[in-house]
Structures are given as structure tokens and as C-alpha cells.
Amino acid sequence: MKSPFFSIVIVNYNAGAMLSKVMSALAQQTYKNFEVIVVDNHSQDNSWRATENVPFPCHLVQLSDNIGFACANNLAVKNHVKGEWLFLLNPDAYPEPECLEAIVKNINQVPDVDCFACTLIDANQPSQLDGLGDAYHISGLHWRNGHGAPCCIAPKYPVEVFSACAAAAIYRTETYRRLGGFDETYFAYSEDVDLGFRLRLAGGKSVLLPDAKVHHVGSAITGRSSDFSIYHGHRNLTWTFIKNVPNPLIPFLLPVHLVMVLYMGVFFAASGRFRLYMRAKIDAFKQIRSQLLRRKEIQRQRVCSSLDLLRMMSWLPRDSCAKARIKKHARSK
């Protein structure tokens, strides 16, 4: 039997009707050579039943515990994925009918790229962007380029971005496996930026596809400013910086990182969530030894120069950098 071109992996956890909506969006794709693997992280709402009676190959993996987003994706890739390309899709992300077709077109045109990012549109406000790939700031903060901006700022042609947001990200399956996939200690949040960082250090790059459009609700399950997202986001942010920033850049970027950590501490103190923020940082440093060991392995395999890495990092504040980054790296036809 011929292997599918895409293996679409969806990690589900109490997604409710959203998972049914994803299945409907996939059924409407103009490109049909794909399989779907749904890993259900012990949902209690029976949302996994959306995988039944769908008009495409779909394999449901039901787990007895919630093992987290990162680990569930890795499990799918290790044991179930057959496709040449891996399409990670959140259960609150709905591809437009020609999304897969647009991805295939670009894969054929740029064979040297191992990771593609979709154009994310705010599912609740379709005139606004949810993101144009991920940006990584020199302080260690990261965010989705163009989040909340009007859709008109999206580039007309593919552009290089720092990394792909895993709400809708495409990886060459072989490359994902070679890099070890997501860091499973993260559980959830920042694992996509970390993988994109490691891909870049290993000589790869991520490219945003303007025509591959996906409507994304965003943090529909965990909550955008929930204790869960703040804790995991700021714990994992520390690990991403510690593991991936090359030695030549540490003397310059570590002071910037520490200033950011202090600034965020003041911000969370003002909002009454300082103890949660401090718990994230303390827990991050409790595992510092294992992260430093991982760092040695990552840096030993680094081929990307420090200057090339700095070129792709954001230097401006969040609200200013998205448009400048897109303009700077837009390809001409």
C-alpha cells in the first residue's frame, strides 16, 4: 500500500465540538493524499468520537493518562506516522480547503526546506491574524509574528521565520525524528520554538507559507492567560534559552535575558501572580543539570553561525517587530 504524503497528527484533550470541526475541514481538503492520527490524552468528554466515520484514513490512539502535548506528538511520530511529511495540527485549528494543496506546491518548489509554518487567522475575528510564524527575541521571549494585526500585513510570497507555530506546522518526518522531536520535559508550551531553534542550529530553516491558511482559536483548551499557560510558558522559556543560545552569544544575551526575567517578575507582581511566576522559574532551575547536558549535545551539533542566528532573532519590542521582520525577509518573485 502506498504511503501517504502527509501524516496529520492531532493531539486531543477535551476539545469538544472543535475536533469535529477539524475533521470536517480535513474532509474538504482539495489534496487527498494524507492520513490522520489523533492521539487522545485521556479526554473525558468523548470528543474523540469525531474520528469515527470520516472519509479519510484516520487512526485513533487513546491514552490512559494525559502525557502532554509534546510527548503525545512524539509518540505518534515514533509509532504511527507513515507519511513523508508531518503536519501537526491543533484541535482548534481549521485548515482552509486548499491548505494542503498550497503546502505541497511549496514543498515541490523549495526542496531544501524541512519546516513550514501556516498563516494563522483568528478564528473568531477572520479579518485579523493569529500569527505568521514564531519570533524569538534576543531576551528569550517569543511570540507569534503579527498576532492581532490585520490580515493585510501578511506577505504575498513565502518568507523565512524563526520557527513554526505547532498549531499548524509542517516538518519533514525524517528531520523531526533526527532532531528527537519535541522536548518531552516541556509537557506543553514553547516546545515548537525550541524545536525550531534546534532545527536552525542544525542548519535548517522555517518558511512561512502565506497561501496555507488555517483558522485558529488559540489556547481554546488551556486558556490564554491561565495559570497552566503562564507556568509552563515561563518555565519552558528558560529551558529554551539555556539549551540553545550558542556560547559566543551568552555574554551578550544573558544580561538581556536576566533583565527580561526581572521585568516579567515586576509585571506578574503587579498583577498578583508573582508566586506562580516564581514557581515556574524555581522549577526550571531544579532541572538545570539535565538541561545543561542537553545543551552540550545540541551545541556539539551546531552548524549555524552566531551571526546568522542573530539575523533571525527579533531586536525590537513585540509590537514593533512583526511588520519589520516580514518586510525585511520577504522574497521577491
Side-chain angles (χ1 to χ4, degrees), residues 84 117 147 150 165 333:
E84 180 181 350
H147 177 73
C165 173
K333 206 170 184 180

Side-chain angles (χ1 to χ4, degrees), residues 250-264:
I250 289 291
F252 306 100
L253 299 191
L254 182 58
V256 182
H257 179 74
L258 293 176
V259 169
M260 178 275 294
V261 170
L262 292 173
Y263 172 82
M264 295 304 300

Side-chain angles (χ1 to χ4, degrees), residues 15-235:
M18 291 185 293
L19 187 59
S20 294
K21 192 171 180 179
V22 175
M23 295 295 121
S24 177
L26 293 176
Q28 297 175 38
Q29 291 299 304
T30 57
Y31 183 85
K32 303 293 186 181
N33 187 16
F34 65 88
E35 65 174 355
V36 175
I37 299 101
V38 175
V39 182
D40 187 77
N41 261 334
H42 196 53
S43 294
Q44 305 300 308
D45 65 351
N46 290 329
S47 53
W48 54 268
R49 291 194 177 277
T51 63
E52 300 173 346
N53 301 317
V54 292
F56 45 77
C58 184
H59 179 56
L60 173 65
V61 181
Q62 289 184 284
L63 304 178
S64 57
D65 294 295
N66 183 355
I67 63 174
F69 180 81
C71 190
N73 275 295
N74 287 354
L75 182 149
V77 176
K78 180 180 179 181
N79 297 327
H80 303 286
V81 162
K82 300 175 183 175
E84 180 181 350
W85 285 86
L86 175 66
F87 187 9
L88 304 186
L89 191 64
N90 276 9
D92 63 346
Y94 318 124
E96 291 191 355
E98 296 182 351
C99 181
L100 289 181
E101 189 174 336
I103 296 168
V104 172
K105 176 183 176 182
N106 282 277
I107 285 174
N108 292 334
Q109 290 178 345
V110 281
D112 60 330
V113 176
D114 291 286
C115 176
F116 294 96
C118 291
T119 295
L120 299 179
I121 298 169
D122 190 324
N124 297 313
Q125 294 182 282
S127 63
Q128 292 186 3
L129 292 167
D130 185 66
L132 300 171
D134 285 333
Y136 191 88
H137 192 260
I138 57 172
S139 67
L141 283 174
H142 50 79
W143 54 78
R144 292 195 296 279
N145 282 315
H147 177 73
C151 287
C152 62
I153 77 159
K156 294 182 179 179
Y157 308 109
V159 297
E160 187 176 358
V161 292
F162 189 86
S163 62
C165 173
I170 304 96
Y171 303 92
R172 196 184 302 272
T173 304
E174 179 185 354
T175 301
Y176 185 95
R177 287 172 173 156
R178 175 171 53 82
L179 292 171
F182 290 143
D183 186 329
E184 296 181 6
T185 62
Y186 281 39
F187 193 84
Y189 286 96
S190 302
E191 69 290 307
D192 48 0
V193 175
D194 172 65
L195 179 59
F197 207 144
R198 287 187 279 125
L199 172 66
R200 188 164 294 282
L201 291 176
K205 60 183 177 181
S206 302
V207 171
L208 169 73
L209 304 180
D211 295 334
K213 297 178 181 179
V214 175
H215 295 255
H216 184 219
V217 177
S219 300
I221 296 172
T222 59
R224 195 178 300 276
S225 297
S226 66
D227 287 358
F228 180 92
S229 63
I230 291 172
Y231 170 81
H232 286 86
H234 283 278
R235 183 196 64 176

Side-chain angles (χ1 to χ4, degrees), residues 22 72 282 292:
V22 175
I282 290 170
L292 288 174

